mmCIF file of all heavy atoms in Angstrom:
data_model
loop_
_atom_site.group_PDB
_atom_site.id
_atom_site.type_symbol
_atom_site.label_atom_id
_atom_site.label_comp_id
_atom_site.label_asym_id
_atom_site.label_seq_id
_atom_site.Cartn_x
_atom_site.Cartn_y
_atom_site.Cartn_z
ATOM 1 N N ILE A 43 -51.402 -5.825 -2.660
ATOM 2 C CA ILE A 43 -52.601 -5.006 -2.869
ATOM 3 C C ILE A 43 -52.162 -3.739 -3.592
ATOM 4 O O ILE A 43 -50.984 -3.378 -3.555
ATOM 5 C CB ILE A 43 -53.305 -4.633 -1.543
ATOM 6 C CG1 ILE A 43 -52.309 -3.990 -0.546
ATOM 7 C CG2 ILE A 43 -53.967 -5.842 -0.917
ATOM 8 C CD1 ILE A 43 -52.973 -3.428 0.697
ATOM 9 N N THR A 44 -53.115 -3.085 -4.247
ATOM 10 C CA THR A 44 -52.808 -1.808 -4.894
ATOM 11 C C THR A 44 -53.442 -0.710 -4.067
ATOM 12 O O THR A 44 -54.613 -0.796 -3.705
ATOM 13 C CB THR A 44 -53.341 -1.806 -6.339
ATOM 14 O OG1 THR A 44 -52.693 -2.879 -7.020
ATOM 15 C CG2 THR A 44 -53.023 -0.512 -7.054
ATOM 16 N N LEU A 45 -52.637 0.293 -3.739
ATOM 17 C CA LEU A 45 -53.125 1.373 -2.870
ATOM 18 C C LEU A 45 -52.866 2.732 -3.508
ATOM 19 O O LEU A 45 -51.839 2.918 -4.163
ATOM 20 C CB LEU A 45 -52.369 1.346 -1.532
ATOM 21 C CG LEU A 45 -52.728 0.293 -0.505
ATOM 22 C CD1 LEU A 45 -51.865 0.492 0.734
ATOM 23 C CD2 LEU A 45 -54.209 0.373 -0.120
ATOM 24 N N PRO A 46 -53.771 3.687 -3.260
ATOM 25 C CA PRO A 46 -53.444 5.072 -3.629
ATOM 26 C C PRO A 46 -52.230 5.508 -2.806
ATOM 27 O O PRO A 46 -52.098 5.115 -1.641
ATOM 28 C CB PRO A 46 -54.683 5.864 -3.206
ATOM 29 C CG PRO A 46 -55.709 4.888 -2.787
ATOM 30 C CD PRO A 46 -55.067 3.564 -2.576
ATOM 31 N N ILE A 47 -51.367 6.318 -3.410
ATOM 32 C CA ILE A 47 -50.110 6.650 -2.721
ATOM 33 C C ILE A 47 -50.335 7.301 -1.362
ATOM 34 O O ILE A 47 -49.550 7.101 -0.445
ATOM 35 C CB ILE A 47 -49.166 7.521 -3.588
ATOM 36 C CG1 ILE A 47 -49.864 8.799 -4.040
ATOM 37 C CG2 ILE A 47 -48.638 6.722 -4.771
ATOM 38 C CD1 ILE A 47 -48.905 9.802 -4.678
ATOM 39 N N GLU A 48 -51.423 8.042 -1.222
ATOM 40 C CA GLU A 48 -51.647 8.718 0.066
ATOM 41 C C GLU A 48 -51.973 7.743 1.187
ATOM 42 O O GLU A 48 -51.945 8.096 2.352
ATOM 43 C CB GLU A 48 -52.717 9.822 -0.059
ATOM 44 C CG GLU A 48 -54.079 9.367 -0.514
ATOM 45 C CD GLU A 48 -54.249 9.362 -2.034
ATOM 46 O OE1 GLU A 48 -53.257 9.151 -2.757
ATOM 47 O OE2 GLU A 48 -55.393 9.551 -2.481
ATOM 48 N N GLN A 49 -52.238 6.478 0.848
ATOM 49 C CA GLN A 49 -52.470 5.456 1.886
ATOM 50 C C GLN A 49 -51.305 4.482 2.005
ATOM 51 O O GLN A 49 -51.379 3.500 2.731
ATOM 52 C CB GLN A 49 -53.743 4.660 1.553
ATOM 53 C CG GLN A 49 -55.008 5.472 1.705
ATOM 54 C CD GLN A 49 -56.215 4.753 1.123
ATOM 55 O OE1 GLN A 49 -56.252 3.523 1.052
ATOM 56 N NE2 GLN A 49 -57.192 5.511 0.682
ATOM 57 N N ALA A 50 -50.219 4.727 1.272
ATOM 58 C CA ALA A 50 -49.174 3.702 1.145
ATOM 59 C C ALA A 50 -47.987 3.890 2.091
ATOM 60 O O ALA A 50 -47.044 3.093 2.066
ATOM 61 C CB ALA A 50 -48.690 3.644 -0.306
ATOM 62 N N LEU A 51 -48.042 4.904 2.946
ATOM 63 C CA LEU A 51 -46.920 5.150 3.856
ATOM 64 C C LEU A 51 -46.601 3.910 4.687
ATOM 65 O O LEU A 51 -47.507 3.286 5.247
ATOM 66 C CB LEU A 51 -47.261 6.323 4.796
ATOM 67 C CG LEU A 51 -46.179 6.710 5.793
ATOM 68 C CD1 LEU A 51 -44.955 7.266 5.090
ATOM 69 C CD2 LEU A 51 -46.702 7.712 6.806
ATOM 70 N N ALA A 52 -45.313 3.550 4.768
ATOM 71 C CA ALA A 52 -44.796 2.441 5.584
ATOM 72 C C ALA A 52 -45.126 1.051 5.030
ATOM 73 O O ALA A 52 -44.728 0.046 5.611
ATOM 74 C CB ALA A 52 -45.230 2.556 7.042
ATOM 75 N N TYR A 53 -45.834 0.987 3.928
ATOM 76 C CA TYR A 53 -46.015 -0.303 3.250
ATOM 77 C C TYR A 53 -44.725 -0.636 2.497
ATOM 78 O O TYR A 53 -43.912 0.232 2.202
ATOM 79 C CB TYR A 53 -47.170 -0.240 2.248
ATOM 80 C CG TYR A 53 -48.537 -0.441 2.866
ATOM 81 C CD1 TYR A 53 -49.236 0.630 3.397
ATOM 82 C CD2 TYR A 53 -49.123 -1.695 2.912
ATOM 83 C CE1 TYR A 53 -50.499 0.458 3.960
ATOM 84 C CE2 TYR A 53 -50.379 -1.879 3.466
ATOM 85 C CZ TYR A 53 -51.059 -0.802 3.986
ATOM 86 O OH TYR A 53 -52.301 -0.980 4.539
ATOM 87 N N LEU A 55 -42.937 -1.912 -0.879
ATOM 88 C CA LEU A 55 -43.195 -1.942 -2.322
ATOM 89 C C LEU A 55 -43.085 -3.359 -2.870
ATOM 90 O O LEU A 55 -42.128 -4.081 -2.569
ATOM 91 C CB LEU A 55 -42.182 -1.083 -3.062
ATOM 92 C CG LEU A 55 -42.510 0.388 -3.279
ATOM 93 C CD1 LEU A 55 -41.349 1.057 -3.995
ATOM 94 C CD2 LEU A 55 -43.818 0.558 -4.057
ATOM 95 N N GLN A 57 -43.275 -3.717 -6.231
ATOM 96 C CA GLN A 57 -42.870 -3.471 -7.618
ATOM 97 C C GLN A 57 -41.692 -2.494 -7.636
ATOM 98 O O GLN A 57 -41.518 -1.712 -6.705
ATOM 99 C CB GLN A 57 -44.043 -2.858 -8.410
ATOM 100 C CG GLN A 57 -44.493 -1.528 -7.829
ATOM 101 C CD GLN A 57 -45.482 -0.763 -8.713
ATOM 102 O OE1 GLN A 57 -46.472 -0.246 -8.251
ATOM 103 N NE2 GLN A 57 -45.183 -0.663 -10.000
ATOM 104 N N LEU A 171 -41.956 2.410 2.146
ATOM 105 C CA LEU A 171 -42.200 3.784 1.690
ATOM 106 C C LEU A 171 -42.150 4.793 2.836
ATOM 107 O O LEU A 171 -42.812 4.629 3.860
ATOM 108 C CB LEU A 171 -43.550 3.862 0.968
ATOM 109 C CG LEU A 171 -43.589 3.121 -0.375
ATOM 110 C CD1 LEU A 171 -45.023 2.989 -0.881
ATOM 111 C CD2 LEU A 171 -42.713 3.816 -1.416
ATOM 112 N N ILE A 176 -43.389 9.083 -0.875
ATOM 113 C CA ILE A 176 -44.763 9.364 -1.322
ATOM 114 C C ILE A 176 -44.746 10.631 -2.189
ATOM 115 O O ILE A 176 -45.387 10.702 -3.235
ATOM 116 C CB ILE A 176 -45.717 9.561 -0.102
ATOM 117 C CG1 ILE A 176 -45.663 8.346 0.847
ATOM 118 C CG2 ILE A 176 -47.145 9.860 -0.555
ATOM 119 C CD1 ILE A 176 -46.206 7.062 0.306
ATOM 120 N N LEU A 179 -43.216 9.782 -5.609
ATOM 121 C CA LEU A 179 -44.211 9.101 -6.460
ATOM 122 C C LEU A 179 -45.181 10.125 -7.052
ATOM 123 O O LEU A 179 -45.489 10.097 -8.243
ATOM 124 C CB LEU A 179 -44.973 8.040 -5.657
ATOM 125 C CG LEU A 179 -44.148 6.817 -5.246
ATOM 126 C CD1 LEU A 179 -44.883 5.987 -4.196
ATOM 127 C CD2 LEU A 179 -43.829 5.947 -6.462
ATOM 128 N N ALA A 180 -45.636 11.049 -6.200
ATOM 129 C CA ALA A 180 -46.558 12.084 -6.685
ATOM 130 C C ALA A 180 -45.892 12.911 -7.781
ATOM 131 O O ALA A 180 -46.497 13.192 -8.814
ATOM 132 C CB ALA A 180 -46.992 12.974 -5.518
ATOM 133 N N ILE A 184 -47.448 9.234 -10.411
ATOM 134 C CA ILE A 184 -47.908 7.876 -10.104
ATOM 135 C C ILE A 184 -48.941 7.967 -8.972
ATOM 136 O O ILE A 184 -48.623 8.436 -7.878
ATOM 137 C CB ILE A 184 -46.714 6.980 -9.703
ATOM 138 C CG1 ILE A 184 -45.777 6.826 -10.910
ATOM 139 C CG2 ILE A 184 -47.191 5.624 -9.177
ATOM 140 C CD1 ILE A 184 -44.471 6.138 -10.606
ATOM 141 N N ALA A 185 -50.164 7.513 -9.249
ATOM 142 C CA ALA A 185 -51.245 7.681 -8.272
ATOM 143 C C ALA A 185 -51.434 6.445 -7.391
ATOM 144 O O ALA A 185 -51.895 6.549 -6.260
ATOM 145 C CB ALA A 185 -52.545 8.003 -8.991
ATOM 146 N N ASN A 186 -51.076 5.259 -7.920
ATOM 147 C CA ASN A 186 -51.291 4.002 -7.184
ATOM 148 C C ASN A 186 -50.016 3.166 -7.212
ATOM 149 O O ASN A 186 -49.278 3.209 -8.191
ATOM 150 C CB ASN A 186 -52.412 3.183 -7.842
ATOM 151 C CG ASN A 186 -53.725 3.931 -7.826
ATOM 152 O OD1 ASN A 186 -54.292 4.196 -6.777
ATOM 153 N ND2 ASN A 186 -54.190 4.314 -9.006
ATOM 154 N N VAL A 187 -49.802 2.396 -6.155
ATOM 155 C CA VAL A 187 -48.634 1.504 -6.128
ATOM 156 C C VAL A 187 -49.038 0.118 -5.637
ATOM 157 O O VAL A 187 -49.987 -0.027 -4.856
ATOM 158 C CB VAL A 187 -47.502 2.019 -5.200
ATOM 159 C CG1 VAL A 187 -46.714 3.122 -5.863
ATOM 160 C CG2 VAL A 187 -48.026 2.437 -3.840
ATOM 161 N N GLU A 188 -48.278 -0.859 -6.077
ATOM 162 C CA GLU A 188 -48.500 -2.228 -5.625
ATOM 163 C C GLU A 188 -47.584 -2.484 -4.433
ATOM 164 O O GLU A 188 -46.368 -2.296 -4.516
ATOM 165 C CB GLU A 188 -48.181 -3.211 -6.755
ATOM 166 C CG GLU A 188 -48.716 -4.598 -6.470
ATOM 167 C CD GLU A 188 -48.261 -5.637 -7.481
ATOM 168 O OE1 GLU A 188 -47.596 -5.284 -8.476
ATOM 169 O OE2 GLU A 188 -48.557 -6.819 -7.239
ATOM 170 N N VAL A 189 -48.202 -2.885 -3.317
ATOM 171 C CA VAL A 189 -47.443 -3.115 -2.082
ATOM 172 C C VAL A 189 -47.845 -4.471 -1.503
ATOM 173 O O VAL A 189 -48.872 -5.038 -1.889
ATOM 174 C CB VAL A 189 -47.736 -2.014 -1.027
ATOM 175 C CG1 VAL A 189 -47.205 -0.668 -1.493
ATOM 176 C CG2 VAL A 189 -49.224 -1.931 -0.708
#
Side-chain angles (χ1 to χ4, degrees):
I43 53 172
T44 300
L45 284 181
I47 56 170
E48 60 271 30
Q49 290 169 27
L51 181 66
Y53 277 87
L55 270 178
Q57 61 170 135
L171 292 168
I176 305 293
L179 291 167
I184 295 172
N186 299 295
V187 282
E188 194 188 355
V189 293

